[in-house]
Amino acid sequence: MTTQPDYSKIYTHAPEQHPNLILGSFQLLFWTFFRPKAFRNHLKRIDPALDLNLLNPNCLRLKNISLYQLFLQVFFISPSLTYFIILLFLLALDIPIETISYTSLLSVLITTAYGGILGAGILIGSLRTMFVNALIFGMSFGIGLNIIIGISYAMNFNINSRIAGLVLTIPLGLIFGLSTHFPFIDLNDFYEFEEHQDNHKIQQPSKFTSAILTIAIYITPLARIFIVILFTLIVVRFIVIEPQFREALPSIIIGLTVNSSLSILLYPFATIYSLLIYNIDKKHMVNNKLNLLRYHPAFWNEWQHLPFINLNKYILLIAQRNPFEAKAAIEHLLNSRQCWAAQAVQIELDARMLEACEEINNIAEIASRLKVSSESPVNNILNNSQRISEDTKAALQQSSNYNQRLVLKPICEKIEAQIQELNRSDNKYAPRFQPIAIKWHAIISNHIEKLAKETELRQEIDSPYIIGVPLTLQQQIFIGRDDIGTRIEQLLLDRRRPPLLLYGQRRMGKTSLLNNLGKLLPNSIIPMFVDLQGAPSSAKDSTGFLFNLAKQMISSAKRQSALTLPPLTRETLQDDAFTNFDEWLDKVEETLEQNTALLMLDEFEVLDSAINKGRFDEEDILGMLRHLIQHRPKFKVLIAGSHTIEEYQRWASYLINVQVVNVSYLLEHEARQLIENPIEDLTLRYEADAVERILQLTRCHPFLVQLLCSELIALKNEQDPSVRRLATLDDVEAAIPEALNVGSLFFADIQNNQVDATGLEILRFIAAKGEKAIVSKETIALEFQDTDYANAIKLLLQRDLIEELDDDYCFQVELIRRWFKNKP
């Protein structure tokens, strides 16, 4: 097997310099013209203090040999190479040897003096900001000055004005163009370090060092003034006074804009060269002998902003042959002026990846491979594809054919909407992705039909129970919770407008309730459900948070109440996010008319965690919520979570007088309906004692009822059709072990995330006593006397894991007790 080379070292903005001093100097000159990023990274590789962050207080390591080698190359070897070129040029023009000698001597003296002064400042001050300035401007000034002096003397010997103008392009370009590759320092940079951004105190330079630094720093603006004066004299001498030299003016202008003009002048030649190597690689693709992509101008000319023809096709060609190299090339170009090609290639590769899905399992697994960039022009298309993939995966994880079909049908509807949107879209990539959406729709539709045929053929019982994902509006199985809906409606009518906390343990049905709350509330209340576990809390900044918050509010209002809210774009929020979001809320209130918006924020703990990590500012986000509660009467706020506000004091200080709405077990008649009549056409019947046993084992816990009933149907489907349609007490008992196994994540979350070590031992102690066992307080105190058992008991009661009966404790739910009894 052939070992792949490290392409990150081939396609890089930090290439290694040639070890030879002469060749390395040529390389520095090349980087100055074409690869400024390589120059910067070379500086930082020599000494980490040589970065361009002016607030970096690090000093140079003066014992670093590479530092002196760089100094030698910039101030002596590079100018010497220039002297040699000038000598050859002047000799070719038959300039007297005396003039040539005088010119070279003058150039050496001026350039060496300039480099010496800067070098002294560097060695004494040892501050790398000045060193960066000296390297770049010193090189351009020294080399450019040499050429100007040489050509100025040559002009006195009546050289053709066109030749003179063209030659002047080089020095003026070097000085005015190349020197602007990097930011120059200001004297104030050395005196504003008293308070660093990390509260790091920085020592001020001594008076002697400050004096040297002042001289060295102001060499740069003085040198610029000198160059401007010199340039003015040349213009007056050879263009104003002597009109025959006016033909040189266009060339001088080109020199002043050397970075862009050089790219334009070289573009035709670079294009021909790039097409040549592309066709060579294309011709030899079959035998895989050549690969010239790394030599393409896009990878060594950072200033070229004009697009190279067929660059995207070239990278796609390489991607077919070597995906690793193509990936490295794409990552390199994403940070260059040819990023259009990298973007186009990545879009095409994503399209091909989506297009390659031939089965529903391929669609389900593709989400993990998609990397969606917020700056991509197909961002929305890929996001939709990713969500469809994730929903498909969740559907396939359902234990029954019925539930798979139930979840897959809305996915087909989403794809149909996406196809229509792509058909109307003016996005240039829409025609590329529309056939893919049509193909996905056909794959999922065919799978739904296949599931229906399998169920009919096998005479299986369709299980309507859904475990692991919240219930949506499309699922008939949502039952009950009328009492909670009534309680929320009463609190919403409270003139004090208190914020609400929907509190309940995990898997108690909070998210399912929020998804279906519109069914329980009057039509005048518009539910706006926001899942903080998704895009809002994962955004990188407040702008992203507010954009995703508004996006989910718009989607939920449309889905639950058919109300169309005004749109809000990311660009609108870019400049002043909270002000523009507040103005958008004004428009939302106008759209609401006489209705009331209920903003429901699910999993508020996730947002709290994001604030803790510093992704969002506490005052900005929670202050915005407080302002919305206090000053927008058309908005009501409900947050949902498995923790109380007391456990998150930061929220308590912003959400004053929060009213708690508890979500606990289903009422008994609701649980019976969920067991016996979850949907109209359920073909399974239960014996009375089987229903009673399920109620005893689950205590009407909605998740555990569905878990046990789901495993019960799976068990029945394995039995002979003659006894398949009736569930008995023995069937319920037989389904318990598999239910504990399938629901292990639920039970493990209790053990790992909801109790402390002492609480865990107490649960195991009580569980070992058997079903319906009651343990007295005295027994607990004696058994755990060396621990903080009192606080552990308090937490277990708060989490609804145990209950207090007079002076005794017992498990609330038998299935949970069995898991702790069986778990080592």
Side-chain angles (χ1 to χ4, degrees), residues 696-729:
Q696 293 170 6
L697 290 166
T698 63
R699 194 173 178 170
C700 304
H701 191 299
F703 170 77
L704 295 179
V705 169
Q706 294 198 72
L707 174 66
L708 188 53
C709 288
S710 175
E711 293 309 312
L712 177 62
I713 290 178
L715 175 69
K716 296 300 293 182
N717 280 331
E718 295 176 359
Q719 296 176 356
D720 188 89
S722 61
V723 296
R724 183 174 294 171
R725 306 293 181 177
L726 180 64
T728 66
L729 178 60

Side-chain angles (χ1 to χ4, degrees), residues 380-445:
N380 289 335
I381 298 174
L382 294 180
N383 273 327
N384 286 336
S385 300
Q386 194 172 48
R387 283 194 293 270
I388 289 169
S389 173
E390 291 169 348
D391 292 345
T392 302
K393 185 174 183 179
L396 296 182
Q397 289 173 345
Q398 296 302 313
S399 58
S400 71
N401 287 355
Y402 176 85
N403 281 337
Q404 286 191 27
R405 300 202 312 270
L406 191 67
V407 179
L408 287 173
K409 285 179 181 178
I411 296 175
C412 277
E413 295 173 1
K414 287 182 182 178
I415 299 178
E416 289 172 1
Q418 185 183 29
I419 293 171
Q420 294 175 2
E421 185 178 344
L422 289 171
N423 190 41
R424 296 189 299 264
S425 175
D426 57 356
N427 189 318
K428 67 178 182 178
Y429 293 102
R432 179 70 181 91
F433 284 89
Q434 188 182 33
I436 299 173
I438 294 173
K439 180 179 180 180
W440 279 27
H441 183 271
I443 292 172
I444 296 176
S445 297

Side-chain angles (χ1 to χ4, degrees), residues 29-49:
L29 286 173
F30 177 81
W31 288 347
T32 305
F33 271 105
F34 298 106
R35 303 194 65 182
K37 288 182 182 178
F39 200 114
R40 292 172 183 155
N41 290 318
H42 179 60
L43 297 184
K44 287 190 282 187
R45 184 164 51 237
I46 290 173
D47 192 321

Side-chain angles (χ1 to χ4, degrees), residues 224-488:
R224 280 182 164 176
I225 294 173
F226 168 73
I227 295 169
V228 171
I229 294 173
L230 178 62
F231 172 66
T232 304
L233 291 175
I234 292 173
V235 171
V236 172
R237 171 73 174 80
F238 296 110
I239 296 179
V240 178
I241 298 177
E242 299 188 24
Q244 66 269 25
F245 285 102
R246 289 177 184 170
E247 297 180 25
L249 184 59
S251 296
I252 295 175
I253 293 174
I254 292 175
L256 295 176
T257 58
V258 65
N259 293 331
S260 55
S261 60
L262 189 62
S263 297
I264 295 173
L265 291 172
L266 292 179
Y267 181 71
F269 306 100
T271 300
I272 294 171
Y273 164 69
S274 65
L275 291 175
L276 177 64
I277 62 174
Y278 168 54
N279 284 303
I280 292 174
D281 258 346
K282 190 175 182 181
K283 182 179 179 181
H284 293 82
M285 181 176 176
V286 177
N287 55 26
N288 198 20
K289 287 183 178 180
L290 288 177
N291 189 343
L292 305 175
L293 178 64
R294 67 193 66 179
Y295 305 113
H296 193 285
F299 300 103
W300 51 258
N301 188 353
E302 294 177 12
W303 289 106
Q304 184 55 262
H305 58 277
L306 297 175
F308 286 110
I309 300 173
N310 287 343
L311 176 57
N312 55 332
K313 294 181 180 180
Y314 197 173
I315 301 174
L316 284 171
L317 178 74
I318 300 302
Q320 297 176 32
R321 180 190 306 169
N322 191 333
F324 300 101
E325 181 170 3
K327 180 181 178 182
I330 291 171
E331 291 176 352
H332 179 89
L333 290 181
L334 283 173
N335 297 316
S336 74
R337 284 178 159 87
Q338 300 296 325
C339 59
W340 69 271
Q343 191 178 74
V345 171
Q346 189 60 61
I347 290 171
E348 178 57 26
L349 292 176
D350 288 337
R352 292 181 182 183
M353 183 167 58
L354 300 178
E355 197 172 40
C357 295
E358 299 294 340
E359 299 177 352
I360 193 167
N361 288 327
N362 302 142
I363 295 176
E365 297 302 326
I366 206 72
S368 59
R369 295 165 56 193
L370 274 178
K371 307 297 181 184
V372 184
S373 169
S374 59
E375 299 176 357
S376 172
V378 295
N379 175 33
N380 289 335
I381 298 174
L382 294 180
N383 273 327
N384 286 336
S385 300
Q386 194 172 48
R387 283 194 293 270
I388 289 169
S389 173
E390 291 169 348
D391 292 345
T392 302
K393 185 174 183 179
L396 296 182
Q397 289 173 345
Q398 296 302 313
S399 58
S400 71
N401 287 355
Y402 176 85
N403 281 337
Q404 286 191 27
R405 300 202 312 270
L406 191 67
V407 179
L408 287 173
K409 285 179 181 178
I411 296 175
C412 277
E413 295 173 1
K414 287 182 182 178
I415 299 178
E416 289 172 1
Q418 185 183 29
I419 293 171
Q420 294 175 2
E421 185 178 344
L422 289 171
N423 190 41
R424 296 189 299 264
S425 175
D426 57 356
N427 189 318
K428 67 178 182 178
Y429 293 102
R432 179 70 181 91
F433 284 89
Q434 188 182 33
I436 299 173
I438 294 173
K439 180 179 180 180
W440 279 27
H441 183 271
I443 292 172
I444 296 176
S445 297
N446 292 336
H447 187 73
I448 293 174
E449 293 179 10
K450 178 183 175 183
L451 291 174
K453 290 178 180 179
E454 286 180 357
T455 300
E456 184 178 354
L457 182 64
R458 297 176 183 175
Q459 297 182 2
E460 291 182 347
I461 302 171
D462 268 336
S463 174
Y465 300 107
I466 303 220
I467 56 175
V469 293
L471 302 178
T472 64
L473 288 169
Q474 288 77 25
Q475 290 148 345
Q476 306 174 39
I477 199 174
F478 180 78
I479 291 172
R481 302 303 192 185
D482 294 330
D483 55 330
I484 299 178
T486 302
R487 171 64 175 157
I488 291 175

Side-chain angles (χ1 to χ4, degrees), residues 89-109:
F89 180 77
L90 295 180
L91 286 172
L93 295 176
D94 294 328
I95 305 299
I97 192 66
E98 296 83 1
T99 302
I100 294 175
S101 302
Y102 178 77
T103 301
S104 299
L105 179 61
L106 184 60
S107 299
V108 170
L109 290 175

